Every structure is written in structure tokens, then in C-alpha cells.
Amino acid sequence: MLTVYSDSHRLQHGQSELIDGTLKPCFETPSRADMVLAAIRERELGDIIHPRRHGLDPILRVHDADYARFLETAWQRWSDMGRDYDALPKMWQVRRLREAIPDHVEGQLCYYSMDCGTPITAGTWAAATAAADTALTGADRLIGGERAAFALTRPPGHHAAFDYCGGYCFLNNAAIAAQALRDHGMRKVAVLDVDYHHGNGTQDIFYRRSDVLFLSIHGDPRTEYPFFLGFADEKGEGEGLGYNFNFPLPAGSCVSTWFVALDCALDQIARFGAEALVVSLGVDTYRGDPISRFQLDSPDFVTLGARLAGLKLPTLFCLEGGYAVGPIGTNVVNVLAGFEARG
Ligand SMILES: NCCCNCCCCCC(O)(O)C(F)(F)F
Ligand SMILES: [Zn+2]
């Protein structure tokens, strides 16, 4: 299987995130991508290519232009205030506060952020656009007739919505790729999110549409991040009603429960008649993950890949989460190798 990879991911290296009430070193580190790349090479999964630049247009097919401009300019405006440390918001526009977009970068940082764990740094825009190009280059290969590709995307994307960042995500790589597949003639595209955390951003982007089916298996938002989206009763709106499926599972759920949810999701994808599949591949469902609470073990990721191959669809994998850095490479490549072995 082809891998698309850009070393520009290294430009996103936040120092700290506010997690569980205290500032801690970021969990989303460059070493995550290094370990995945090493495993890809070690397991001889296939060729590794660099992304082609696609410019802003494919990004603006799913993201708000003002939001994109904020991401592009935020660091310069922040450092012009004499701040040489990561940019993080200090409050949120909650209920009954004005939904006006502030002019100042500090206010815009609050307006365009979902949480305080997604630091904007000098290299964020370059890294995020390179990740989008990585996913788009993978989508190009599917459009060209390849059966599957792996976009080794970092920073991840599935929490990034039409006009806000969060959960270590700035641009929604999987959504950008799904839209590109639609724009290049695939009539129906499914996005399956198997990361531990609900893909609120991807849901947000496609919620009112029936041409892109979104499905997510994740920790129950009653107790798990992102808390405020990902409930089973969110089924889409308007045109999109019936084209959104959430499978929230209680923290601590066993592996068999997880695979029952997966089989339900795969069944919906088959009923939908998808012509292509984009997988938001987070491996923080791993039993040893430091910030997540599911029980999958490394061999289960082989099974996951094989189940996905059973759909017999052109498939683009986009890396999302996974914070047990030692085993992340094994777990990611197990999915891809399991997919390939099923043939
Ligand atoms: N007590 C745990 C607090 C968790 N705080 C933030 C979690 C972010 C998860 C990010 C991710 O894994 O979903 C992505 F794929 F986007 F990287
Ligand atoms: Zn996650």
C-alpha cells in the first residue's frame, strides 16, 4: 500500500496543552509520525511518496475562508504582541455571549478554538496545509484507480470543523479528501471514524449532506472528549437526515463490543452504496493509550483492517490519534497490513 508522507509535520510541535485542569507537555508530538514511518519502512508496506501541493481551494471546499485566514495569520499577529510562546485561547464564547467575531487575535483565538489543547505555533499553518496536501495526494491516487492509500497525516484533522480548531486539529484532512473524491466524480463517499474520540469536525462539515455518509465509533461523550457532540441521536439534518451514524460506547468497553459496532457501521456503508471510503484512522482505541479508555490490542488492528477490506471499496486511510508512541507504528501498520492481506 502506498504511503503519502511529508516531513513538514515536524513544524507542528506544541509545547503544552491544558488537559484535565493542568498544563502538560503535548501528547500530539512529532515522534508519533516518526514511529509510524519507521514501521511502514520496517514492514515494507509499500512506496512512500511526498505530497503534491494543492493550494487553498480544496481546503475552502469544507472550511470557512475567514477561519482559514485566521489560521494562516494567527501566529504572526500573536508574536507581534511580543509573545514567543504557543498561542492558546483564554475563554470561550458560551451561551448568551455575543457571537461577534473579535478583531483582535486574542479574541479570534477564542472564537475559532474549541479547546485549550491545540496550540498554534510558528509552523502550524505550514504543517496543517502539508497534512491536507498529504490527504489530497492520497485521494488523487484513488481517483487514479488505486485500491488504497495511507496518508500519514499530522497534525490530525477530525476535530476541525467548518470554522473552528481543537483536539490537536486545524484542517480536517479526511473531510478535505472526501470532498476531493466527490469533486472528482465519486458520487457517494463514506467517512468512517475509528478514533477513540468522536469526529465532531467531520460530522459538522457533512451533517446536512446526503452525498457523504459519516459514521463514528467512539468513547461515549457523556464522559469522554469532546463531550458536546457524538450522541447516537445525531442522525443528520435536512438533506443529511439519515446520513450520520454515531456509535458511542462506554469507556472501558470490551473488544467484542467494539467490533459489533464496527460491523453495524460497515453494514450501513454497504447499504449507502459508497463508491469510496475514507477512514479516520486513530489508534488511540489501543488498550495502552494514555488518554483513552478502550481495550483493543495490537492483533485487533489486523482484524480491523481485514473487516474494512471486506467492503471492497477504494479506501484512503488518514492518520488521526494514538498516543502510546511505542506501539503506534505496529498498530497503524497492522490495520494497513490486515487490509492488504484480505486482498
Ligand atoms: N482526559 C482526556 C482529555 C483529552 N483532551 C483532548 C483529546 C484530543 C484527542 C485528539 C484525537 O485523538 O481525537 C485526534 F485524533 F484528533 F488527534
Ligand atoms: Zn482520538
Side-chain angles (χ1 to χ4, degrees), residues 58-63 128 131-133 135-136 139 171-183 205-206:
I59 291 170
L60 298 183
R61 292 286 289 137
V62 299
H63 285 295
D133 283 329
L136 285 163
L171 297 174
N172 195 317
N173 309 310
I176 291 166
Q179 183 61 52
L181 292 169
R182 283 284 299 109
D183 290 344
I205 287 166
F206 296 120

Side-chain angles (χ1 to χ4, degrees), residues 19-20 156 158-159 167-169 195 197 225 284 291 320-321 323:
I19 182 165
D20 303 340
H158 74 146
H159 294 299
Y168 316 151
C169 305
D195 187 279
H197 304 94
Y225 183 97
D284 42 7
I291 67 167
E320 300 284 0
Y323 306 100

Side-chain angles (χ1 to χ4, degrees), residues 91-102 107 110-111:
M91 72 169 285
W92 277 270
Q93 179 260 324
V94 288
R95 289 159 301 292
R96 295 176 296 288
L97 292 180
R98 294 288 291 271
E99 199 169 320
I101 304 179
C110 300
Y111 181 83

Side-chain angles (χ1 to χ4, degrees), residues 17-20 28 32 115 117 155-160 166-169 193 195-198 223-227 281-282 284 290-292 319-323:
E17 63 176 275
L18 185 65
I19 182 165
D20 303 340
E28 205 292 295
R32 297 177 58 243
D115 68 13
H158 74 146
H159 294 299
Y168 316 151
C169 305
D193 191 324
D195 187 279
Y196 179 76
H197 304 94
H198 177 249
T223 61
E224 306 305 297
Y225 183 97
F227 304 114
L281 179 58
D284 42 7
I291 67 167
S292 309
L319 182 64
E320 300 284 0
Y323 306 100

Side-chain angles (χ1 to χ4, degrees), residues 2-343:
L2 176 83
T3 292
V4 190
Y5 168 79
S6 168
D7 213 45
S8 297
H9 77 83
R10 221 170 285 289
L11 295 169
Q12 175 61 18
H13 190 180
Q15 294 312 302
S16 40
E17 63 176 275
L18 185 65
I19 182 165
D20 303 340
T22 177
L23 268 182
K24 283 184 181 166
C26 287
F27 281 94
E28 205 292 295
T29 58
S31 60
R32 297 177 58 243
D34 293 338
M35 294 296 280
V36 174
L37 188 65
I40 295 276
R41 289 191 169 124
E42 187 190 319
R43 302 265 292 267
E44 296 177 341
L45 189 81
D47 291 343
I48 300 169
I49 65 167
H50 292 295
R52 176 174 72 80
R53 282 180 181 279
H54 291 72
L56 208 46
D57 289 351
I59 291 170
L60 298 183
R61 292 286 289 137
V62 299
H63 285 295
D64 172 56
D66 292 334
Y67 167 61
R69 190 168 313 111
F70 159 75
L71 288 178
E72 187 173 14
T73 62
W75 173 257
Q76 191 55 56
R77 296 157 67 198
W78 176 265
S79 56
D80 286 350
M81 293 168 69
R83 296 176 174 175
D84 59 357
Y85 47 86
D86 296 357
L88 285 169
K90 58 175 65 168
M91 72 169 285
W92 277 270
Q93 179 260 324
V94 288
R95 289 159 301 292
R96 295 176 296 288
L97 292 180
R98 294 288 291 271
E99 199 169 320
I101 304 179
D103 293 329
H104 193 267
V105 62
E106 279 204 290
Q108 289 185 1
L109 191 52
C110 300
Y111 181 83
Y112 286 119
S113 297
M114 165 173 91
D115 68 13
C116 207
T118 311
I120 291 180
T121 72
T124 296
W125 178 247
T129 48
D133 283 329
T134 298
L136 285 163
T137 304
D140 292 342
R141 291 301 180 110
L142 263 58
I143 291 155
E146 302 225 9
R147 177 166 173 269
F150 171 50
L152 206 172
T153 41
R154 193 189 157 265
H158 74 146
H159 294 299
F162 171 66
D163 63 352
Y164 65 76
C165 63
Y168 316 151
C169 305
F170 303 95
L171 297 174
N172 195 317
N173 309 310
I176 291 166
Q179 183 61 52
L181 292 169
R182 283 284 299 109
D183 290 344
H184 288 83
M186 297 201 177
R187 285 179 313 104
K188 290 183 178 182
V189 176
V191 181
L192 174 62
D193 191 324
V194 295
D195 187 279
Y196 179 76
H197 304 94
H198 177 249
N200 61 283
T202 317
Q203 175 170 313
D204 178 67
I205 287 166
F206 296 120
Y207 203 58
R208 303 184 61 82
R209 292 174 50 175
S210 58
D211 57 328
V212 178
L213 177 72
F214 177 66
L215 315 98
S216 178
I217 307 165
H218 49 272
D220 189 329
R222 281 179 298 179
T223 61
E224 306 305 297
Y225 183 97
F227 304 114
F228 299 107
L229 212 64
F231 293 86
D233 65 353
E234 295 154 19
K235 298 183 184 298
E237 257 174 29
E239 269 289 297
L241 184 62
Y243 294 92
N244 193 89
F245 288 89
N246 284 327
F247 301 92
L249 301 176
S253 290
C254 65
V255 174
S256 55
T257 299
W258 194 89
F259 276 103
V260 167
L262 177 71
D263 287 341
C264 292
L266 299 181
D267 181 51
Q268 291 298 343
I269 294 170
R271 288 163 186 259
F272 172 62
E275 292 175 26
L277 173 65
V278 177
V279 179
S280 270
L281 179 58
V283 291
D284 42 7
T285 48
Y286 176 59
R287 59 181 310 150
D289 194 89
I291 67 167
S292 309
R293 296 193 282 170
F294 280 165
Q295 305 290 332
L296 271 67
D297 206 346
S298 297
D300 295 315
F301 290 103
V302 179
T303 308
L304 167 57
R307 293 278 178 89
L308 294 171
L311 286 170
K312 303 249 179 279
L313 288 174
T315 302
L316 173 65
F317 294 89
C318 290
L319 182 64
E320 300 284 0
Y323 306 100
V325 178
I328 189 172
T330 300
N331 292 338
V332 169
V333 179
N334 276 1
V335 176
L336 306 176
F339 182 91
E340 292 246 284
R342 177 67 184 273

